[in-house]
């Protein structure tokens, strides 16, 4: 079974803090993704990576950056957290082309 | 214009009935189609995928694809209260590192 883990289930941070969210997958998947999910807006892609050190912007990259130094690990960084970044953050991974994505449990981030 | 459209629901069906969930997509180049189930407060779980026109059955679930009409559906036979969840339709293009576009989901309620 594919296992995707995320560093925290719940996180509370203050406005202006730098926030790191980590995701690890154990299935040697090439592709990894970061989404945020908000009521009524669905899943929105922030960034994705198709190889180590490779990254591409998704639909809403502003205010975020990512790092992929190892194949199994994909980090999402909020450079200066703001209240409008309060959300559920979901990491996913997949192999090859045209395959389904497998999600981690999510991190519910609250920025106060 | 949304790329993947789903009726938000709620779709209410009695226990034991067939639940029919529908999804339309706009990009004719779409090649892969997925259904995810998401329980409240949890992350999406991949339950079905389909690549070719026609039906694909897995237990109580049947996915149906009609590329000419740009239409995907999920049928759940003998619906159970445990099927109550939000169902997300996702669509992928080839050559995009398994990048998917998600609908906003249909909430299904199975009543006793």
């Amino acid at each position: 079974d594919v296992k995707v883990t995320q560093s925290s289930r719940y996180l509370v941070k203050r406005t202006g803090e730098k926030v790191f969210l980590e995701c690890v997958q154990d299935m040697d998947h090439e592709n990894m993704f970061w989404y945020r999910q908000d009521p009524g807006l669905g899943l929105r892609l922030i960034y994705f990576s198709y190889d180590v050190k490779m990254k591409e912007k998704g639909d809403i990259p502003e205010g975020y950056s990512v790092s992929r130094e190892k194949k199994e690990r994909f980090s999402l960084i909020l450079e200066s957290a703001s209240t409008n970044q309060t959300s559920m953050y979901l990491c996913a991974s997949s192999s090859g082309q045209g395959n389904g994505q497998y999600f981690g449990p999510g991190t519910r981030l609250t920025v106060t | 214009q949304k790329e993947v459209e789903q009726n938000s629901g709620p779709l209410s069906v009695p226990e034991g009935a067939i639940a029919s969930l529908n999804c339309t997509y706009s990009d004719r180049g779409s090649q892969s189609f997925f259904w995810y189930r998401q329980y409240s407060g949890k992350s999406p779980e991949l339950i079905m995928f389909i690549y070719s026109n026609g039906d694909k059955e897995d237990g109580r679930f049947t996915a149906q694809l009609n590329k000419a009409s740009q239409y995907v559906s999920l049928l759940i036979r003998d619906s159970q209260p445990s099927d109550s969840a939000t169902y997300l339709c996702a669509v992928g293009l080839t050559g995009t590192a398994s990048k998917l576009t998600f609908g906003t989901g249909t909430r299904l309620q199975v009543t006793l």
Side-chain angles (χ1 to χ4, degrees):
Chain A
D1 278 354
V2 176
K3 188 158 185 189
V4 182
T5 57
Q6 295 184 230
S7 49
S8 306
R9 288 288 283 124
Y10 300 94
L11 208 54
V12 180
K13 294 292 181 180
R14 294 194 179 275
T15 301
E17 280 193 83
K18 192 168 186 175
V19 182
F20 293 87
L21 303 180
E22 289 206 323
C23 175
V24 178
Q25 51 93 5
D26 67 357
M27 286 302 293
D28 202 35
H29 283 173
E30 299 88 351
N31 310 310
M32 296 188 75
F33 306 82
W34 276 106
Y35 295 89
R36 61 178 286 177
Q37 187 173 35
D38 301 287
L41 297 177
L43 281 163
R44 292 182 290 169
L45 181 64
I46 304 170
Y47 268 97
F48 68 101
S49 168
Y50 52 90
D51 200 352
V52 175
K53 296 190 186 295
M54 305 303 289
K55 61 186 179 186
E56 285 199 22
K57 294 180 180 180
D59 301 318
I60 52 163
E62 297 79 17
Y64 304 94
S65 62
V66 291
S67 172
R68 192 163 181 205
E69 296 296 319
K70 292 185 178 182
K71 190 174 185 179
E72 67 271 17
R73 190 180 297 269
F74 193 33
S75 301
L76 179 69
I77 303 147
L78 285 66
E79 298 291 343
S80 177
S82 63
T83 55
N84 63 12
Q85 293 178 310
T86 291
S87 186
M88 170 70 89
Y89 289 87
L90 290 159
C91 175
S93 73
S94 71
S95 64
Q97 303 279 347
N99 295 319
Q101 294 177 15
Y102 295 88
F103 285 83
T107 295
R108 185 163 293 282
L109 173 68
T110 301
V111 182
T112 61
Chain B
Q1 181 185 359
K2 288 186 181 178
E3 296 178 24
V4 178
E5 298 247 18
Q6 296 181 256
N7 189 317
S8 61
L11 173 67
S12 186
V13 300
E15 184 178 6
I18 296 175
S20 178
L21 303 160
N22 304 313
C23 170
T24 58
Y25 61 94
S26 60
D27 194 327
R28 285 198 171 274
S30 300
Q31 298 289 328
S32 53
F33 306 86
F34 305 89
W35 284 99
Y36 287 80
R37 178 176 62 201
Q38 186 174 23
Y39 293 114
S40 180
K42 302 293 187 182
S43 61
E45 174 193 7
L46 179 63
I47 56 172
M48 288 288 288
F49 60 89
I50 187 167
Y51 301 127
S52 304
N53 277 329
D55 294 1
K56 179 181 178 182
E57 188 175 315
D58 184 1
R60 295 187 297 113
F61 297 103
T62 299
Q64 298 177 317
L65 174 60
N66 184 327
K67 287 187 178 180
S69 301
Q70 295 175 245
Y71 181 89
V72 193
S73 64
L74 178 70
L75 302 179
I76 306 175
R77 288 182 301 282
D78 187 24
S79 295
Q80 302 296 310
S82 58
D83 295 326
S84 298
T86 296
Y87 289 81
L88 306 176
C89 173
V91 173
L93 298 170
T94 53
T96 57
S98 295
K99 185 179 166 187
L100 300 178
T101 300
F102 287 82
T104 52
T106 298
R107 189 157 64 94
L108 173 66
Q109 292 178 335
V110 180
T111 58
L112 295 173

